[in-house]
Amino acid sequence: MIYSKELDSNFKLLIAKEPGGENIKRCFSCGTCTAGCPVREVTDRYNPRKIIRMALLGMKKEVLSSQFIWLCSSCYTCYERCPQDVRIPELMNAIKNIAVREGYMPPAMKVQIELLSSHGRLLEVTEFENDKRKESGLPLFQGRTEDVKRILKELGFYHEEERGPS
Amino acid sequence: MKKREDHLKDTSYTLFLGCTVPVRALNYEIAARKVAGALDIRFHDIPDFSCCGYPIKSISHHAYLLMAARNLALAEAKGHSVCTLCSSCGGSLAEANHELQEDKNLRQRINEDLYGWLGLRYEGEVQVLHFARILHRKIGAEKIGGKIRADLSSLRVAPHYGCHYTKPSAIHGRAEDPEDPKSLDELIRATGAQSLSYEDKLSCCGGGVLAFDEQVALGMAQKKLEHIHARQADAIVLICPFCNVMYESNQKKIEKVFQKEYKLPVLFYPQLLGLALGFEPDELGLKMNRIRTTDLMKKIVRRPA
């Protein structure tokens, strides 16, 4: 049941202000996105038309705290087909950006932030990889960069003091 | 604008490897460098490149643009266009590039942080192209066809385009129709091999959801393995290391979860091309391929030099 008292009619405006979310109000619920969605084909837990409808209705908490917003595979099939140019994968990112700000960061993203801060990349290039590169005649890698850590730190996504010994 | 046009004629590129290639798809890099050399494409390296920014896009658009712009700024200082092997890196960098080139105010805002924190600036002068796009557009199937030194005509391979190589089409300069792309088929046919059509050829590998829901991601990859298996293909040919994670690294797991057997060899396009150009399998990193390629190798007839 949806209770109108619990709806936040400003939610769609909040999304529309977020980069990628600008076109949310154009959606007329045709379902082209969902019909061609490869994620939807294997699970009914992801339904972009429903998510957009929920967002437009103002079901802020239900959308932001959900796991389904993280199931978009960013394949851009719907992006190309949407007759209203809602740009759904970018819209999902806009919603996810808001969710993170509201404290709903999924564990998988915490792990990725940690890795990116430590290595500047998702996968560490160790001596093992560099040895293999040397063997194969490939130029060697500089294992890490502090720049990514700096970006994530300045924007408040990485807090050095909270880190345990690595 | 003149500078950008100059880049189009150049066949020197700065190679952007991203996170996955150097650790999980070294064979892709080895083969790409080999065939690039044979086709007079010159690669330059920047050891200080970091992640393209793609993973952080879902957390913060601003952080994503900064990470992408950092790499683009490093490439701009070197003066060449960027060539990516990973379709996701290519899409992510091209998309950020598109935004930063189109919106001067946005570029200015990004540059304030980029300069303040890292001492870098990006002026929007770099082009980002996927290696397959360079092969198709700059070298061309005809020139490739003229250099073939082995007979691959009995090989039946299934092309996997993946998503970010063609989509969103607007940020890739509408290089080809994302609903009916042809470049990879043409590149495959240029090697002499047969390029198969199959059900749901353009569907996504599922890699984008792997970190959030493994079962869903494996289910997506399984569908494609099933469709390709139905065509009795000798291999799937792809151009993205993350698609490779789904179809090759996870193939055994998929077989176990779905109680199926595929044993479908997975080749990176530069490996297929390298074989056609007459390179030895070892020169193309084929011993690093996890699914045995011995059966398909038997179908290749080498021509005397």
Side-chain angles (χ1 to χ4, degrees), chain A residues 32-139:
Chain A
T32 302
C33 50
T34 310
C37 176
V39 179
R40 171 70 186 179
E41 230 184 298
V42 298
T43 176
D44 56 12
R45 280 180 290 131
Y46 183 68
N47 183 332
R49 173 167 68 171
K50 191 169 158 189
I51 297 170
I52 297 169
R53 194 77 199 121
M54 287 172 79
L56 287 171
L57 277 171
M59 299 171 75
K60 187 176 175 184
K61 190 165 184 281
E62 289 87 341
V63 170
L64 294 184
S65 63
S66 74
Q67 304 206 331
F68 53 64
I69 54 172
W70 297 91
L71 284 179
C72 169
S73 74
S74 287
C75 75
Y76 291 93
T77 304
C78 56
Y79 186 111
E80 296 290 337
R81 294 178 184 173
C82 175
Q84 289 292 89
D85 194 27
V86 176
R87 305 198 292 143
I88 296 120
E90 308 303 357
L91 169 62
M92 290 302 156
N93 277 324
I95 294 175
K96 285 182 258 186
N97 280 201
I98 298 171
V100 166
R101 282 207 303 275
E102 302 264 331
Y104 301 107
M105 171 97 80
M109 288 317 300
K110 284 185 190 158
V111 173
Q112 296 195 6
I113 287 176
E114 187 67 28
L115 289 168
L116 289 170
S117 302
S118 306
H119 313 304
R121 42 184 65 247
L122 283 179
L123 300 165
E124 185 182 8
V125 178
T126 63
E127 247 176 78
F128 175 77
E129 273 79 29
N130 262 334
D131 281 349
K132 272 208 286 189
R133 296 183 70 79
K134 210 169 171 182
E135 246 174 66
S136 311
L138 301 175

Side-chain angles (χ1 to χ4, degrees), chain B residues 51 157 179 181 241 246 286:
Chain B
C51 167
V157 304
E179 301 280 6
M246 294 309 299
L286 267 149

Side-chain angles (χ1 to χ4, degrees), chain A residues 18-20 38-39 41-43 45 67 70-77 79-81 87 90 92-98 100-101 105-106 108-110 112-113 116 119-126 129 132-133 136-148 150-152 154-155 157, chain B residues 17-24 26 29-30 33 45 47-51 54-64 66-67 70 95 99 113-114 116-118 120 163-164 166-171 174 178-179 200 202-204 206-209 211-213 215-217 219-220 223 227 288:
Chain A
E18 198 71 20
V39 179
E41 230 184 298
V42 298
T43 176
R45 280 180 290 131
Q67 304 206 331
W70 297 91
L71 284 179
C72 169
S73 74
S74 287
C75 75
Y76 291 93
T77 304
Y79 186 111
E80 296 290 337
R81 294 178 184 173
R87 305 198 292 143
E90 308 303 357
M92 290 302 156
N93 277 324
I95 294 175
K96 285 182 258 186
N97 280 201
I98 298 171
V100 166
R101 282 207 303 275
M105 171 97 80
M109 288 317 300
K110 284 185 190 158
Q112 296 195 6
I113 287 176
L116 289 170
H119 313 304
R121 42 184 65 247
L122 283 179
L123 300 165
E124 185 182 8
V125 178
T126 63
E129 273 79 29
K132 272 208 286 189
R133 296 183 70 79
S136 311
L138 301 175
L140 299 190
F141 245 83
Q142 188 169 303
R144 52 187 290 151
T145 165
E146 295 293 318
D147 287 5
V148 173
R150 179 82 192 266
I151 292 170
L152 295 173
E154 291 285 353
L155 294 175
F157 294 108
Chain B
L17 293 170
C19 301
T20 313
V21 167
V23 180
R24 300 186 75 170
L26 207 57
E29 183 185 348
I30 290 169
R33 288 187 193 266
D45 290 278
D48 203 29
F49 270 150
S50 51
C51 167
Y54 175 80
I56 230 69
K57 206 172 162 188
S58 60
I59 291 176
S60 157
H61 192 73
H62 189 70
Y64 150 66
L66 277 169
M67 283 176 65
R70 174 189 180 272
E95 197 170 335
E99 279 188 51
D113 287 346
L114 203 61
W117 301 339
L118 311 176
L120 293 168
C163 303
H164 301 180
T166 58
K167 295 175 284 188
S169 54
I171 63 132
R174 305 203 187 276
E179 301 280 6
D200 276 343
L202 301 181
S203 67
C204 169
V209 265
F212 300 98
D213 195 319
Q215 288 308 303
V216 169
M220 289 167 75
K223 275 178 172 286
H227 296 322
M288 293 181 206

Side-chain angles (χ1 to χ4, degrees), chain B residues 237-251:
Chain B
V237 171
L238 42 76
I239 52 173
C240 173
F242 218 83
C243 298
N244 182 72
V245 166
M246 294 309 299
Y247 296 121
E248 194 184 40
S249 316
N250 280 322
Q251 196 176 125

Side-chain angles (χ1 to χ4, degrees), chain B residues 1 4-5 11-12 42 48-49 56 67 87 90 124 134 141 175 219-220 229 234 275-276 281-282 294:
Chain B
M1 288 308 277
R4 277 187 220 164
E5 277 164 28
T11 49
S12 274
R42 213 171 144 216
D48 203 29
F49 270 150
I56 230 69
M67 283 176 65
S87 304
I134 292 167
M220 289 167 75
H229 186 69
D234 293 308
L275 290 169
D282 272 2
T294 31

